[in-house]
Amino acid sequence: MLKHEEDCRILIQLLSQTKRQILSKLRKNKSINLLSFLQAETLEFIETQTQPTMKEISNFLCITPPSATSIINNLVKLRMLERVSDPHDRRIIRLKITSQGKIFIEKHGQIIENQMQSVLQKLSSEEHSQLINIYKKINNFYN
């Protein structure tokens, strides 16, 4: 096995493990209304868009339209989203974040930021820069 292949496997394992550990720690705090990762990501996406369609959401999340519909249905039941008819084409349904959804995003963002700050406090300034630059390079690769 090439060293590069081994590094790739280790990185994938570490990313998955880190995500699970963050979610596990957040779930232990009973005062937090924790949605699934995809639900939170969906809310954040909808907040930054002008009433996106289901197709736009499924494309953004890289999931099938039926999977996106399931996520949206749950968020509508939680009153974080509402469906809105397109004024130009009544066949198109758009999604709009509610005030309750906006409050969740604000609280969720603060919780994630606090978690990240506690992690970054354990790193040096140089390590902060290295971490940011590495993530920028990875993101640029996929853009």
Side-chain angles (χ1 to χ4, degrees), residues 45-89:
F45 174 73
I46 292 170
E47 185 182 41
T48 64
Q49 304 301 303
T50 305
Q51 298 183 355
T53 63
M54 291 295 291
K55 181 176 174 134
E56 291 168 327
I57 291 166
S58 65
N59 287 341
F60 171 75
L61 296 173
C62 301
I63 59 176
T64 64
S67 296
T69 299
S70 176
I71 291 168
I72 296 304
N73 286 344
N74 288 331
L75 290 170
V76 168
K77 283 179 191 173
L78 293 170
R79 297 182 180 167
M80 294 199 186
L81 289 179
E82 59 184 34
R83 290 181 171 93
V84 179
S85 295
D86 186 292
H88 305 292
D89 187 344

Side-chain angles (χ1 to χ4, degrees), residues 86-136:
D86 186 292
H88 305 292
D89 187 344
R90 307 249 330 137
R91 296 171 295 175
I92 298 173
I93 301 298
R94 298 197 170 273
L95 297 156
K96 180 180 176 185
I97 194 162
T98 64
S99 58
Q100 191 169 332
K102 288 180 182 183
I103 290 168
F104 171 82
I105 288 174
E106 188 176 314
K107 287 181 180 178
H108 181 263
Q110 189 60 52
I111 290 165
I112 298 300
E113 187 174 325
N114 291 342
Q115 288 289 316
M116 186 57 69
Q117 285 178 6
S118 69
V119 169
L120 292 177
Q121 287 175 352
K122 295 178 171 111
L123 302 176
S124 70
S125 293
E126 184 179 332
E127 289 170 327
H128 290 188
S129 296
Q130 289 172 347
L131 181 62
I132 290 168
N133 287 332
I134 288 168
Y135 271 99
K136 282 180 179 178

